[in-house]
Amino acid sequence: MSTPSPAGSARSRLRAALRSAMKERDTVAAAGLRSALAAIANAEAVPLPAASPGPRARPALQSSPHFADAVAGLGAAEVSRREVTEDEAAAIAAAEAGDRRAAARDYRAAGHADRAGRLRREAQAIESALDITPPRGDA
């Protein structure tokens, strides 16, 4: 099992590739890399607690008089983010690349070769940043 690594190497490699793409003004690669980084950040979000069906009891002294359902006090509503392991981050980024390749196949089948090419280039940027070998037959 992998240990949590907030500054894991998958994320750092994606960021380095993003910096390089931005310097080269490669907007297609930058878009794919940003999307992969955003997917990893979204995976770190803490799930919301399940809502109860009935009316909520409001705490008398802890709620804010200025905002509905707000909690008073500095940092009272802060929650630490979930830590994504290195393996999870790499899997999330690989899934993003796979989603792009699948969408590219659909676009190509629908006769939109330009859009398919853009999605393939985004997938290639993610895969090359993480040293992932693209699937065979996906040119």
Side-chain angles (χ1 to χ4, degrees):
M1 185 169 140
S2 183
T3 58
S5 176
S9 62
R11 185 177 292 140
S12 62
R13 286 184 286 172
L14 288 167
R15 284 186 185 139
L18 176 59
R19 276 191 300 275
S20 176
M22 290 171 67
K23 285 180 184 177
E24 295 169 7
R25 298 184 188 270
D26 185 350
T27 58
V28 175
L33 294 163
R34 278 191 185 110
S35 179
L37 286 165
I40 294 169
N42 286 344
E44 293 175 328
V46 178
L48 294 173
S52 62
R56 291 187 9 199
R58 291 177 51 104
L61 297 176
Q62 291 188 356
S63 65
S64 172
H66 306 293
F67 300 100
D69 292 331
V71 179
L74 180 64
E78 295 295 319
V79 176
S80 61
R81 294 181 65 83
R82 179 171 109 46
E83 291 185 5
V84 175
T85 65
E86 173 63 27
D87 293 340
E88 290 171 331
I92 290 166
E96 284 291 307
D99 290 346
R100 279 169 172 63
R101 288 198 177 276
R105 283 190 297 274
D106 293 343
Y107 273 118
R108 186 175 52 228
H112 298 285
D114 56 333
R115 292 180 184 169
R118 179 184 172 93
L119 288 169
R120 277 194 306 273
R121 286 182 29 223
E122 287 182 13
Q124 288 168 350
I126 296 168
E127 292 162 348
S128 68
L130 298 176
D131 297 325
I132 297 173
T133 304
R136 290 189 145 219
D138 238 2

